[in-house]
Amino acid sequence: MYEGDVLAGNWRRPGKGKIPKVPAELDLVVEDADSGFCGAVVACDKEAVTLEDRFGKRRLFPLAPAAFLLEGKTVTLVRPTAAPAGPRRSASGSIAVEGLRARVARESRIYVEGVHDAALVEKIWGHDLRVEGVVVEYLEGVDHLPAIVAEFGPEPGRRLGVLVDHLVPGSKESRIAAEITSPDVLVVGHPFIDIWQAVKPSVLRIPAWPAVPRGVPWKEGVIAALGWRMEPPEAWRRILGAVSTYTDLEPELLGRVEELIDFVTEAS
């Protein structure tokens, strides 16, 4: 009644031309049909695709026909076509200045709380800051901000912008910021306990930043809750390494950094 063996062949891989071809765009989550390895696309060339699972493990797979499952359906991954040529963008989304030579630094400065804040600002806004000649320094905490501002000596043409962590009503940070009254100083902040939280959880393949009980050091508490077997410096390198553009950050941080850059450059 049937022509041939209905169970013959690879049932997981239909014949050529019967399955859709899907571009292997970054962050597309697929499963390798043979091994069951599931992960997001992190790289793709003309012959293979690299997937990263939720634990950060990466594996390379050939771009074979019908080799992957997308939402349970068999697909063929193909290399994405090149995007149309256009102005190159910096990590912050601004139009990149080709052949940039950093201008002489302005007297105005931006201060951030710590080295992690400075590293993140540099990674996303470094190009823009060099175009504008703005130097970013870090405070190592906000407790002595009024004294630091007085020592800096802000005045017209010598402005100071300050980015503060956890600047919410009633916090210690908000009380300290309220002591700064100079019109040549702008203190802004984000609501996050630490700059780590300004990175979107999805970028790190986690559902959310965990809540840490009072009395537990925040960074160590986060690492323990996520099951990461590493010290805070290594955890931060993992977090920063996952960030590549402004879209990886929460808007509460993006707006504040852009505001500071505008403030220290508009009157210099």
Side-chain angles (χ1 to χ4, degrees), residues 125 188 250-262:
W125 289 275
V188 300
E250 299 288 1
E252 292 90 340
L253 176 67
L254 297 174
R256 302 295 74 76
V257 175
E258 297 286 353
E259 188 177 355
L260 289 176
I261 294 174
D262 290 344

Side-chain angles (χ1 to χ4, degrees), residues 1-8:
M1 295 179 63
Y2 297 97
E3 295 183 4
D5 185 355
V6 295
L7 298 180

Side-chain angles (χ1 to χ4, degrees), residues 58-73:
R58 295 189 177 189
R59 288 185 58 182
L60 186 70
F61 298 96
L63 290 175
F68 300 92
L69 302 177
L70 175 62
E71 297 180 350
K73 298 181 179 179

Side-chain angles (χ1 to χ4, degrees), residues 55-263:
F55 301 107
K57 182 179 180 181
R58 295 189 177 189
R59 288 185 58 182
L60 186 70
F61 298 96
L63 290 175
F68 300 92
L69 302 177
L70 175 62
E71 297 180 350
K73 298 181 179 179
T74 303
V75 298
T76 295
L77 290 187
V78 296
R79 189 180 186 183
T81 57
R88 189 172 68 86
R89 297 280 175 173
S90 71
S92 71
S94 64
I95 296 177
V97 178
E98 302 294 343
L100 169 68
R101 295 183 63 184
R103 60 175 287 175
V104 175
R106 300 172 186 263
E107 290 190 66
S108 298
R109 293 285 189 273
I110 291 176
Y111 282 3
V112 296
E113 282 208 45
V115 65
H116 291 182
D117 307 67
L120 187 60
V121 169
E122 163 61 27
K123 187 161 189 178
I124 300 302
W125 289 275
H127 178 84
D128 309 62
L129 294 168
R130 283 183 283 279
V131 168
E132 298 293 348
V134 176
V135 174
V136 174
E137 301 181 18
Y138 60 92
L139 302 168
E140 296 185 343
V142 74
D143 291 347
H144 304 293
L145 181 60
I148 292 171
V149 170
E151 181 181 357
F152 179 82
E155 60 185 30
R158 181 179 167 81
R159 286 182 154 189
L160 180 61
V162 183
L163 179 68
V164 177
D165 296 343
H166 200 226
L167 192 63
V168 296
S171 67
K172 175 192 73 173
E173 291 82 1
S174 66
R175 293 191 293 272
I176 294 173
E179 299 179 35
I180 310 301
T181 58
S182 170
D184 296 305
V185 179
L186 176 64
V187 180
V188 300
H190 54 73
F192 310 116
I193 295 173
D194 190 275
I195 197 68
W196 290 16
Q197 285 184 304
V199 178
K200 292 179 179 178
S202 58
V203 175
L204 299 167
R205 315 272 192 254
I206 60 176
W209 286 102
V212 177
R214 286 183 177 274
V216 177
W218 191 84
K219 289 184 174 70
E220 287 78 0
V222 165
I223 291 170
L226 294 175
W228 292 355
R229 297 181 179 180
M230 58 186 71
E231 295 298 317
E234 185 181 357
W236 171 243
R237 288 193 293 271
R238 176 174 179 172
I239 294 166
L240 186 63
V243 174
S244 57
T245 75
Y246 71 98
T247 59
D248 295 330
L249 304 180
E250 299 288 1
E252 292 90 340
L253 176 67
L254 297 174
R256 302 295 74 76
V257 175
E258 297 286 353
E259 188 177 355
L260 289 176
I261 294 174
D262 290 344
F263 178 78

Side-chain angles (χ1 to χ4, degrees), residues 10-13 30-38 51 61 65-70 73-75:
N10 189 343
W11 61 272
R12 300 185 76 175
R13 296 191 175 180
V30 295
E31 177 184 345
D32 175 60
D34 285 337
S35 67
F37 185 91
C38 183
L51 303 183
F61 298 96
F68 300 92
L69 302 177
L70 175 62
K73 298 181 179 179
T74 303
V75 298

